[in-house]
Amino acid sequence: MRWFWQRIRANTQSWPGYMAYCAATTSSALLARFYRQGCPDSATPIQDVPLVALDIETTGLDAAQDAIVSIAAVPFTLRRIPLVDRRYWLVRPPSDSLTEQSVVIHHITHSAIEAAPDLMVVLPELLEVLSGRIAVVHYRHMERAFLDAAVRDGLGESLLFPVVDTMGLEAERHRSSLRARLAGFIGRRPTSIRLADSRRRYRLPLYQGHHALGDAIGTAELFQAQIAWRFFRLTPLERLWS
Amino acid sequence: METELVDLRDHLAGHTPFDDVALDLLSDIVSNIEVAYFKAGETILEADQTVDNLCYIRSGAVEVFRRGGQLFDRLGEGDIFGYYSLLRDRRVRYPAQALEDTLIYFIAEADFHRLCEASASFADFVEVGRPMLAATVEAKRKGNDMMVTRVRKLITRPPLLVESTETVQRVAQRMTEARGASALIVDSYTDDPRYTYEDDEGSLWQVRGIVSDSDFRATVVAGGMPPDALIGEVIGPRLYMVQADESVHEAMLCMLRNNVHRVPVMDRRRPIGIVEIADIVRYETSSSVYLVDSIFSRDSPQSLADLLPDVRASFIRLVSDGADSHMVGSALSTIGRSFTRRVLELAEMELGPPPVPYCFMVAGSMARNEQTLVGDQDNALVISDDYDPREHGAYFEALARRASDGLATCGYAYCSGNIMATNPRWRQPLAVWQRYFRYWIDQPTPEGLLHSNVFFDIDSAYGDHTLVEALQELIAARAPTNERFLAAMARNALNRTPPLGFFRDFVMEKDGKHNNSINLKRRGTAPLSDLIRVHALACGSRSQNSFERLADIGRTQLLGPGVGERLAYALEFLTMTRIRHQAEDLEAGRVPDNGVEPESVPATERHNLKQAFQILSNAQKFLAFRYPLPTFRG
């Protein structure tokens, strides 16, 4: 486990540097514009960091095979989540990767998907919302991996940016703390860190899940709650991002 | 609109006051809200900070405080706060703190004003203009038919007027010619300006009385009067009348209360017609009229008790017809008085006529005409000063026993405080009663008055009403000038206080503690009528009914502008809530009581109840300040 954290720390300490490097080396004008906006310094108190809650729905769990069907982004700060700035896109996945099962989960119909634009059409708008903000996601391996894969497909380049992972913050407490490991040792079932279960621990209301926009709003609320309970408004960004 | 926002919108739409707002507008509003999480203990609104949002509690609980730091309100899911400041100078008056982990939806100021404009019920709730309590009570009043129909509507022709010097034969002929069943007796001799009017020719007349077919049978023929006897000898000494502008309901109650079947209708002092009970029955078939009629045809307490289901049915009917508290209270008091009267008539039939005149006096809610279904008997006997205990004591003891037992049979429980005519202390000649009242008023102590409080609402129910009127006079003349008495009464009026409001399914007390139910009489209507009584005594009012007392108080400078009106709204709302819950209890087959469980109180009603409690609480503070205990001199 330790190697995992060390690797992440090594990575994250250099996020502004990484972004600057990419801005200089990318061959895509679109990505260059995004990277040039950079990201806040790692020492910035979290209360001063412009954030954006990001959630995607996909046709499956494997970024190599499955595709994005919808994206929601809700810019927010530690103080407020203004819904008026919310963005939501339906995206047409390449080929026929939309299965019956994922249709049922996301309540998105085939005809709505047929009419939706390609992710590459939506990408400029998405990057604009993400620019200069730190993305907040629940389980970074979904959002970051799927976006990276899609951009690789479309532009032939990687898209990487720093995120705050609310699931990771829950895991820190409920999976990797000494107490949590002891509980696991004696055979207790690990605490669920899924979005709905994590929200319940902070007494946040139950939202109907599996809709990108609802989950994005839910993630933003969860992050506010995590900071209120476990961190400080002045906690530096580097303690939280990955 | 996106699915997720529909969920948010529907949450709002499920809570008062958003439940009346058009969904399109709500969708707009929701897409514009800002969300924030507050952990338990965190401040949401700080005193004096500038606000530009209405706060909606999506989940959790919030406490709102007064400036002094006392708890002002506790709110839960679906409640709103912050509008008070938004409507004024946008400075926070009442700071707010999260009591539990709380998610707040902030609604923009501009959207708040859109809501106020688009929905009247929203505007009423946040009190743009006037308090919601007033709006609720007024709206109810407008919707009521019987209350607004004036008695003049029932008049179809002018009354037959005959002079008191005409013979009974001539009057009978004139009534036959006019095809009328009744006539008004007038006199050119005038001695009472209240009944005097000027006719078209400019002559002065005074209305003396009313005669009907039944008087010819009962008095003229059965009494063996000669055909040339004067009609003036037929009429009784007392004349009841109603004003043309009074409601049909008032006219009905006047007749029922005084046990007469017809009354002249006056336009100020001029008679414009005669209205009979039958006219009203035709107009508005109301079961309480039939009920009172059948009370007087029963010949034993047991057969009177058989009418109990009818009493309940007519109560439920009144409530579902949308009667206000004044109507329900008067109707039930009239029914109660009719039972009382009939029980005494039956007792007199058994025991023989009374050896000396007496009056059966009722006290408390029946005297105030504010009875509800749940009430025990409070009564007493005031006997003429010719009373000789050795000679007459046994008769009145037996009479009191029969009256009290009879009333208990009819569902009026024995008084736990023994305020009943069966108690020798409360079965005394007028002179003794006058001594009681002088003692209570001149040498007052809060403890002593605690037990005699109920005797400051008194009315006659049967017998020689002048005996009780003498006591009412004494009180009205003596009470206003006695500061110590008023101070003692005021002190007692503060013994029972209202709660702060509701929180989730609990009643919340001022110290933040919770209860599962509230006794609306003990915590609401009773302390309110107590404090109205003190002001009424201070201004020498002779009225017994709380609303009439408030009208009397309103003619003085005792209360600040608008205060009397607010008290009337609060009393109306508290009483109606109590009455409605009793009616619901009855319909559900439960024993009706004064308790109300918060889970059965809808949000709007809670909001109004909280306001009523607040009005009561403020009025109690003023009472303590207005009637301080005078310091001893000498």
Side-chain angles (χ1 to χ4, degrees):
Chain A
M1 212 59 183
R2 182 170 295 150
W3 62 268
F4 180 72
W5 288 114
Q6 274 170 352
R7 207 192 67 185
I8 285 183
R9 217 165 281 138
N11 253 339
T12 52
Q13 267 167 11
S14 58
W15 271 120
Y18 174 81
M19 302 275 285
Y21 170 76
C22 291
T25 55
T26 180
S27 53
S28 148
L30 186 65
L31 294 183
R33 197 158 59 235
F34 168 71
Y35 285 125
R36 263 203 307 278
Q37 294 295 320
C39 66
D41 188 78
S42 59
T44 316
I46 190 65
Q47 66 172 0
D48 298 331
V49 176
L51 304 160
V52 55
L54 184 67
D55 191 81
I56 58 170
E57 302 296 335
T58 58
T59 56
L61 294 175
D62 184 356
Q65 290 186 9
D66 300 307
I68 297 175
V69 288
S70 66
I71 306 173
V74 181
F76 74 109
T77 64
L78 214 50
R79 211 175 80 77
R80 295 286 172 88
I81 307 161
L83 298 188
V84 69
D85 296 333
R86 73 193 183 280
R87 300 301 304 270
Y88 176 71
W89 300 273
L90 269 181
V91 177
R92 188 178 59 221
S95 71
D96 52 350
S97 52
L98 195 68
T99 65
E100 285 303 326
Q101 196 192 2
S102 57
V103 169
V104 172
I105 292 179
H106 309 310
H107 309 284
I108 299 168
T109 59
H110 282 283
S111 56
I113 291 291
E114 294 301 328
D118 189 88
L119 178 64
M120 283 309 115
V121 177
V122 166
L123 191 62
E125 291 176 43
L126 174 63
L127 288 179
E128 198 181 313
V129 179
L130 296 179
S131 281
R133 296 191 169 94
I134 296 294
V136 179
V137 300
H138 197 75
Y139 194 47
R140 62 182 178 278
H141 302 300
M142 280 296 284
E143 275 72 15
R144 214 154 42 183
F146 271 85
L147 282 174
D148 187 35
V151 173
R152 269 177 206 277
D153 270 358
L155 301 178
E157 266 192 59
S158 178
L159 171 67
L160 267 182
F161 49 89
V163 299
V164 170
D165 182 2
T166 51
M167 186 194 251
L169 293 177
E170 283 303 282
E172 254 182 53
R173 181 181 172 81
H174 294 286
R175 292 284 164 85
S176 32
S177 73
L178 183 63
R179 210 175 122 249
R181 275 184 289 178
L182 273 176
F185 187 69
I186 61 169
R188 185 110 38 89
R189 261 188 68 194
T191 312
S192 166
I193 50 177
R194 287 168 46 215
L195 181 59
D197 296 315
S198 302
R199 284 171 59 82
R200 195 173 306 131
R201 277 193 288 280
Y202 298 91
R203 307 232 248 159
L204 282 163
L206 189 70
Y207 284 165
Q208 190 194 327
H210 298 302
H211 184 284
L213 182 61
D215 284 351
I217 295 171
T219 302
E221 291 170 359
L222 174 62
F223 182 64
Q224 286 189 336
Q226 287 174 326
I227 295 298
W229 276 103
R230 295 177 34 210
F231 299 94
F232 303 95
R233 289 166 194 278
L234 296 177
T235 298
L237 179 57
E238 63 185 343
R239 167 68 185 84
L240 302 162
W241 72 14
S242 44
Chain B
M1 190 175 173
E2 303 94 325
T3 332
E4 258 328 298
L5 292 196
V6 170
D7 283 354
L8 299 197
R9 180 196 70 186
D10 290 349
H11 194 271
L12 261 77
H15 291 89
T16 314
F18 300 94
D19 43 4
D20 227 30
V21 178
L23 285 181
D24 285 355
L25 177 57
L26 269 191
S27 301
D28 263 19
I29 304 266
V30 161
S31 61
N32 211 14
I33 62 175
E34 298 190 4
V35 186
Y37 176 91
F38 297 87
K39 80 172 182 186
E42 249 184 297
T43 299
I44 301 170
L45 293 179
E46 223 163 317
D48 290 329
Q49 117 185 34
T50 309
V51 270
D52 33 28
N53 297 109
L54 173 70
C55 304
Y56 175 87
I57 303 174
R58 173 59 180 80
S59 65
V62 170
E63 281 188 332
V64 181
F65 297 91
R66 287 181 191 284
R67 284 192 161 257
Q70 309 104 300
L71 186 59
F72 174 71
D73 207 350
R74 188 174 291 171
L75 304 165
E77 181 170 332
D79 287 331
I80 54 174
F81 60 97
Y83 49 89
Y84 187 89
S85 310
L86 267 189
L87 284 167
R88 286 160 185 89
D89 52 6
R90 299 171 63 222
R91 247 173 222 299
V92 173
R93 292 290 152 90
Y94 301 119
Q97 199 177 52
L99 175 70
E100 297 169 0
D101 300 337
T102 296
L103 195 65
I104 298 285
Y105 290 169
F106 292 93
I107 294 170
E109 188 181 4
D111 285 337
F112 169 73
H113 290 298
R114 279 169 75 196
L115 285 165
C116 288
E117 248 161 62
S119 158
S121 58
F122 186 93
D124 278 344
F125 191 93
V126 299
E127 291 166 36
V128 182
R130 62 188 177 156
M132 181 178 180
L133 186 61
T136 309
V137 171
E138 285 300 330
K140 197 145 181 357
R141 193 162 288 165
K142 265 191 215 135
N144 193 308
D145 230 20
M146 253 219 278
M147 265 309 269
V148 293
T149 309
R150 311 285 175 205
V151 68
R152 63 165 176 263
K153 265 190 135 176
L154 299 188
I155 292 174
T156 48
R157 59 174 178 177
L160 176 62
L161 298 169
V162 296
E163 284 188 58
S164 63
T165 50
E166 290 197 64
T167 64
V168 292
Q169 186 173 37
R170 179 70 196 122
V171 173
Q173 287 165 353
R174 288 190 54 192
M175 282 170 65
T176 309
E177 284 161 21
R179 293 168 189 268
S182 53
L184 286 187
I185 315 301
V186 296
D187 214 339
S188 56
Y189 166 77
T190 62
D191 58 1
D192 190 338
R194 282 184 298 165
Y195 303 125
T196 304
Y197 70 96
E198 197 180 302
D199 69 11
D200 295 340
E201 276 113 58
S203 338
L204 286 180
W205 297 94
Q206 180 170 332
V207 182
R208 291 283 170 186
I210 187 167
V211 286
S212 66
D213 282 353
S214 62
D215 293 317
F216 280 92
R217 168 172 47 78
T219 312
V220 180
V221 181
M225 292 174 92
D228 57 353
L230 300 184
I231 194 69
E233 294 166 31
V234 176
I235 54 179
R238 208 176 164 93
L239 175 63
Y240 301 98
M241 46 178 65
V242 295
Q243 285 294 323
D245 276 344
E246 282 184 76
S247 67
V248 168
H249 183 75
E250 289 285 338
M252 178 181 90
L253 289 173
C254 170
M255 286 187 267
L256 293 177
R257 198 174 299 136
N258 299 307
N259 203 16
V260 294
H261 285 85
R262 54 190 62 76
V263 283
V265 177
M266 315 291 277
D267 180 8
R268 291 169 176 261
R269 292 170 193 166
R270 188 190 176 101
I272 59 165
I274 293 170
V275 65
E276 300 192 19
I277 278 211
D279 297 332
I280 295 181
V281 172
R282 257 196 305 276
Y283 171 73
E284 176 76 42
T285 307
S286 167
S287 47
S288 43
V289 182
Y290 295 119
L291 182 58
V292 168
D293 250 13
S294 49
I295 287 174
F296 287 105
S297 64
R298 299 288 160 135
D299 52 12
S300 72
Q302 198 42 58
S303 64
L304 279 173
D306 295 341
L307 292 173
L308 270 182
D310 298 328
V311 174
R312 296 189 163 163
S314 91
F315 172 78
I316 290 176
R317 163 101 200 264
L318 272 170
V319 176
S320 60
D321 281 356
D324 67 7
S325 81
H326 204 27
M327 292 167 69
V328 178
S330 317
L332 284 184
S333 303
T334 301
I335 290 168
R337 283 157 187 263
S338 305
F339 273 119
T340 309
R341 193 178 298 161
R342 188 58 188 158
V343 163
L344 284 158
E345 283 173 0
L346 293 172
E348 282 188 12
M349 275 183 218
E350 212 182 313
L351 300 170
V356 292
Y358 73 96
C359 183
F360 193 83
M361 176 167 89
V362 290
S365 63
M366 200 189 284
R368 293 199 310 270
N369 281 328
E370 290 169 17
Q371 273 216 307
T372 66
L373 261 197
V374 186
D376 49 6
Q377 43 175 303
D378 294 312
N379 51 51
L381 273 186
V382 185
I383 311 169
S384 147
D385 284 334
D386 299 331
Y387 173 72
D388 177 350
R390 270 166 311 183
E391 214 180 311
H392 310 135
Y395 176 90
F396 285 110
E397 191 182 341
L399 185 80
R401 172 55 53 203
R402 274 173 177 68
S404 184
D405 291 349
L407 285 171
T409 312
C410 297
Y412 299 88
Y414 294 111
C415 169
S416 54
N418 211 8
I419 308 277
M420 288 184 292
T422 46
N423 182 345
R425 212 181 149 202
W426 310 132
R427 193 173 66 240
Q428 293 290 340
L430 179 62
V432 175
W433 276 106
Q434 285 166 328
R435 210 164 60 231
Y436 286 167
F437 276 98
R438 268 187 231 114
Y439 175 76
W440 287 331
I441 297 173
D442 296 346
Q443 272 140 61
T445 60
E447 302 72 38
L449 285 175
L450 214 47
H451 305 290
S452 47
N453 208 25
V454 67
F455 287 118
F456 290 91
D457 304 330
I458 47 172
D459 203 7
S460 85
Y462 183 75
D464 182 356
H465 51 81
T466 58
L467 292 166
V468 169
E469 277 171 15
L471 295 176
Q472 290 173 338
E473 293 287 314
L474 183 149
I475 298 171
R478 237 177 165 77
T481 53
N482 198 312
E483 283 175 50
R484 289 180 57 79
F485 167 70
L486 293 174
M489 291 292 280
R491 171 92 72 82
N492 286 344
L494 304 178
N495 285 343
R496 295 177 287 193
T497 54
L500 189 60
F502 299 94
F503 174 65
R504 294 190 178 146
D505 283 344
F506 298 103
V507 178
M508 197 184 33
E509 301 298 340
K510 286 180 179 151
D511 57 6
K513 290 202 180 105
H514 289 171
N515 280 315
N516 291 325
S517 95
I518 175 174
N519 184 318
L520 268 191
K521 181 185 179 188
R522 203 159 48 223
R523 308 296 302 282
T525 54
L528 197 47
S529 48
D530 281 351
L531 83 89
I532 292 169
R533 180 187 307 111
V534 179
H535 290 303
L537 287 167
C539 72
S541 157
R542 268 159 231 207
S543 303
Q544 307 294 316
N545 178 267
S546 296
F547 291 102
E548 287 164 20
R549 281 174 165 171
L550 279 172
D552 290 344
I553 296 164
R555 282 186 273 276
T556 70
Q557 306 293 315
L558 261 178
L559 301 178
V563 175
E565 227 168 48
R566 279 203 289 281
L567 288 175
Y569 286 136
L571 182 62
E572 172 66 30
F573 194 78
L574 288 169
T575 311
M576 271 328 288
T577 307
R578 192 177 144 210
I579 285 171
R580 223 174 9 253
H581 280 271
Q582 288 182 356
E584 279 164 18
D585 279 344
L586 271 184
E587 283 175 309
R590 295 184 296 258
V591 180
D593 58 19
N594 290 315
V596 169
E597 291 73 34
E599 60 260 36
S600 65
V601 182
T604 324
E605 193 170 307
R606 288 176 182 213
H607 191 75
N608 281 328
L609 277 176
K610 184 182 159 54
Q611 273 195 359
F613 291 145
Q614 220 171 311
I615 289 170
L616 170 57
S617 186
N618 292 342
Q620 285 188 328
K621 274 180 212 147
F622 175 75
L623 196 74
F625 157 82
R626 179 67 182 71
Y627 305 103
L629 268 181
T631 43
F632 273 109
R633 274 172 299 244

